Amino acid sequence: MAEDLSEIFQIEYDAIVLGTGLKESILSGLLGCEGKRILHLETKSYYGSECASITPLPMLYRLFGKNKAPEEKDFGNFKDYNVDLIPKFLMGGGNLVRMLIQTGVTRYLQFKNVDGSFVYKGGKLYKVPVTGEEALKSSLMGIFEKRRFAKFLSWIQNWEEDDKKTWNNLDPEKTTMEEVFSHWKLDKNTQDFIGHAVALHTDDSYLYRKGYSDFIQRVKLYSNSLALYKTSPYIYPLYGLGDLPQGFSRLSAVYGGTFILRQPIEEVHYDENGTAVGVKINHNGEIKVARGKCVIGEPAYFLNKVEKVGQVVRCICILDAPIPQTQNAQSCQIIIPQNQVGRQNDLYVMVISSAHCVCPAGRYIAIASTTVETANPHGELETALRLLGPIREKFYAVKDMLVPTDDGSKSRCFISSTYDATSHFESMCDDILDIWRRMTGKELDLTKQINPNQEDD
């Protein structure tokens, strides 16, 4: 952080980053690793922006506008709470974990595996089977469907894009997943859980697109991640997700990045051609321009360059017991496929506890979320909330889903999308990779060590 704020007006930065959300912090860290000069500004007094973990518990009450103050005799030690505003698990073999490892940010964090992954069918929860052996033991399917599913999984594991012998006469560029499922004679319930709880598609549009190689890679990612961590394919940081943006911000600072919190931002500054050339900020009552070659930021800083495409509803719940039907899991993910509840979008539940140092022992935090489809967003979560058992406290939030209308090619403004309803980070990583591609003109290579100064842990 610059000791004398006036210094930042004497420099032209390679990038000015607005907001310390996870996407912005990752991009800041990655650019720092490439030797770029970064100025990172945040209007709030804490890192993380919408991705922050809130502590202590009374702060969560204030943030959600609850007048009733909690009592420690009902909730346990307030300081033991670290509650995520946008809760998501990390796929063990996914792109975010690769970014963490290859930048060395893992040294700032501790992770623990998640106990289980479950799928909803007919009012009950079932452990998600992803191997032939698990499929044969699962009560999710009948005996004949189990055998068909086991053969389907075996085909996926042996499938190779460059070996036609493994395709089973299913052209990976011309065949839809609907046709693939029909070929293997899988019923609709099986399609639901493999498509939504394993391949992690958020709706059924994937069924009708030509080409199925993406589906294969998604299932293999889930399976390979499960093989790493055994109980589920997911991991989660101790003390909440708020340390993730801090870790990447710290990486950027190591490479000379300048960070300023509690900094009022007036607007992005453009030249006569509409290209961003800096950011106007209030310095001692005077509006000055911090100069930069491009500006990266959250949608909130670019309201004239984003559009609303929907809303997400989330409900943070504090519980006194594990969720029923989850084998007393201290942490888990639950996916409710859209077709199971007559919706167009899935519902998601993630559960964490003192095992991940986010609440006192004997308490549990469950967060339900979905994409809003009606004029009653809270009511859309009822199916998910009924699964949780008794709920001690609820915190609802409905947020607009914003996406950029400007790709940055002319304006040099690179804007992230807001976070979706999913309970994992895979779509978030896709957004980061897309921004990197547009901003630098090249792909981010996650197969190499990104941080040249990284030491082996």
Side-chain angles (χ1 to χ4, degrees):
M1 182 176 291
E3 294 182 3
D4 181 2
L5 191 60
S6 63
E7 292 180 2
I8 70 173
F9 304 112
Q10 312 304 318
I11 300 168
E12 182 182 35
Y13 293 91
D14 293 304
I16 299 176
V17 184
L18 304 180
T20 54
L22 182 53
K23 295 180 187 181
E24 291 70 31
S25 297
I26 289 174
L27 289 166
S28 179
L30 293 174
L31 287 168
C33 286
E34 292 214 338
K36 304 299 183 183
R37 181 172 281 181
I38 307 300
L39 173 62
H40 204 143
L41 305 174
E42 171 63 73
T43 58
K44 298 181 177 64
S45 61
Y46 53 84
Y47 287 94
S49 192
E50 291 296 313
C51 299
S53 298
I54 303 302
T55 187
L57 184 61
M59 183 180 289
L60 187 69
Y61 274 72
R62 292 194 294 272
L63 188 64
F64 280 81
K66 285 185 175 285
N67 296 322
K68 180 185 67 174
E71 297 186 20
E72 285 195 322
K73 66 182 180 64
D74 296 323
F75 292 92
N77 191 333
F78 289 161
K79 293 181 180 179
D80 287 341
Y81 284 89
N82 293 278
V83 183
D84 296 330
L85 296 179
I86 300 180
K88 292 179 184 286
F89 289 135
L90 289 75
M91 182 70 77
N95 282 333
L96 180 52
V97 170
R98 293 165 71 184
M99 292 176 190
L100 285 162
I101 292 172
Q102 292 172 19
T103 57
V105 172
T106 47
R107 72 183 60 203
Y108 309 134
L109 303 160
Q110 288 181 284
F111 291 87
K112 183 178 173 63
N113 59 305
V114 174
D115 286 348
S117 183
F118 297 85
V119 65
Y120 177 93
K121 174 192 170 186
K124 296 183 179 180
L125 296 179
Y126 298 85
K127 189 176 186 300
V128 177
V130 289
T131 67
E133 182 180 354
E134 285 185 339
L136 293 174
K137 293 178 181 179
S138 175
S139 58
L140 187 59
M141 299 167 283
I143 183 63
F144 295 112
E145 184 70 5
K146 289 179 181 180
R147 292 173 180 171
R148 289 190 290 268
F149 183 62
K151 290 180 180 179
F152 175 67
L153 289 178
S154 177
W155 171 68
I156 287 179
Q157 292 303 323
N158 293 318
W159 185 89
E160 296 292 341
E161 192 166 13
D162 57 357
D163 186 355
K164 289 186 177 181
K165 294 178 182 178
T166 66
W167 295 357
N168 215 279
N169 297 318
L170 298 169
D171 189 316
E173 294 184 359
K174 299 178 180 179
T175 311
T176 67
M177 274 310 302
E178 184 180 41
E179 292 167 335
V180 171
F181 286 142
S182 176
H183 174 85
W184 292 101
K185 298 180 172 59
L186 298 180
D187 68 26
K188 190 59 182 174
N189 284 325
T190 303
Q191 295 176 33
D192 270 352
F193 85 75
I194 188 73
H196 293 260
V198 178
L200 301 178
H201 286 289
T202 58
D203 56 40
D204 277 350
S205 61
Y206 78 95
L207 288 169
Y208 314 111
R209 292 193 290 266
K210 288 190 180 296
Y212 63 79
S213 59
D214 175 66
F215 184 92
I216 298 282
Q217 298 307 325
R218 285 168 174 257
V219 174
K220 286 188 174 184
L221 171 61
Y222 190 104
S223 179
N224 293 339
S225 298
L226 181 64
L228 290 172
Y229 298 103
K230 310 304 180 186
T231 57
S232 84
Y234 301 107
I235 58 175
Y236 180 84
L238 300 187
Y239 305 104
L241 295 173
D243 282 346
L244 283 173
Q246 287 194 59
F248 281 101
S249 296
R250 184 174 175 182
L251 174 68
S252 180
V254 165
Y255 285 93
T258 299
F259 284 77
I260 305 175
L261 300 180
R262 298 183 297 277
Q263 175 58 57
I265 297 168
E266 298 297 321
E267 62 181 1
V268 177
H269 183 55
Y270 301 92
D271 66 13
E272 64 276 8
N273 298 315
T275 301
V277 292
V279 174
K280 292 182 180 180
I281 63 178
N282 190 321
H283 176 54
N284 295 331
E286 181 182 355
I287 304 302
K288 290 191 173 183
V289 175
R291 294 177 296 121
K293 297 176 182 177
C294 71
V295 180
I296 303 165
E298 304 167 356
Y301 297 98
F302 302 91
L303 293 181
N304 63 332
K305 293 181 179 292
V306 297
E307 65 178 354
K308 177 181 173 181
V309 295
Q311 290 183 309
V312 173
V313 57
R314 298 184 179 91
C315 184
I316 299 169
C317 303
I318 299 177
L319 315 176
D320 295 332
I323 292 181
Q325 304 182 65
T326 61
Q327 304 162 17
N328 291 320
Q330 298 298 292
S331 57
C332 68
Q333 175 187 249
I334 300 168
I335 292 181
I336 304 174
Q338 59 179 77
N339 292 319
Q340 294 296 318
V341 285
R343 290 176 51 80
Q344 298 174 357
N345 296 277
D346 296 347
L347 288 91
Y348 302 88
V349 178
M350 67 173 286
V351 182
I352 40 183
S353 67
S354 60
H356 285 91
C357 304
V358 296
C359 60
R363 300 290 184 269
Y364 298 79
I365 296 174
I367 304 98
S369 58
T370 192
T371 302
V372 174
E373 298 178 7
T374 72
N376 179 21
H378 294 188
E380 297 185 45
L381 294 176
E382 281 306 306
T383 299
L385 299 183
R386 283 197 298 269
L387 296 172
L388 305 185
I391 299 172
R392 180 170 288 275
E393 186 63 278
K394 299 176 186 175
F395 303 86
Y396 282 101
V398 179
K399 298 287 187 179
D400 290 342
M401 295 172 62
L402 303 174
V403 299
T405 56
D406 183 337
D407 67 5
S409 57
K410 180 177 181 296
S411 69
R412 300 304 292 168
C413 293
F414 300 99
I415 309 164
S416 62
S417 300
T418 52
Y419 294 85
D420 61 20
T422 59
S423 52
H424 53 80
F425 277 114
E426 292 311 292
S427 59
M428 183 212 73
C429 290
D430 291 341
D431 193 24
I432 291 171
L433 295 174
D434 180 56
I435 292 172
W436 184 267
R437 187 183 306 113
R438 288 186 280 115
M439 181 172 57
T440 66
K442 61 184 180 181
E443 300 290 334
L444 180 61
D445 186 358
L446 294 176
T447 64
K448 68 175 184 179
Q449 182 173 300
I450 297 173
N451 179 358
N453 292 331
Q454 177 183 343
E455 298 176 357
D456 293 333
D457 292 328

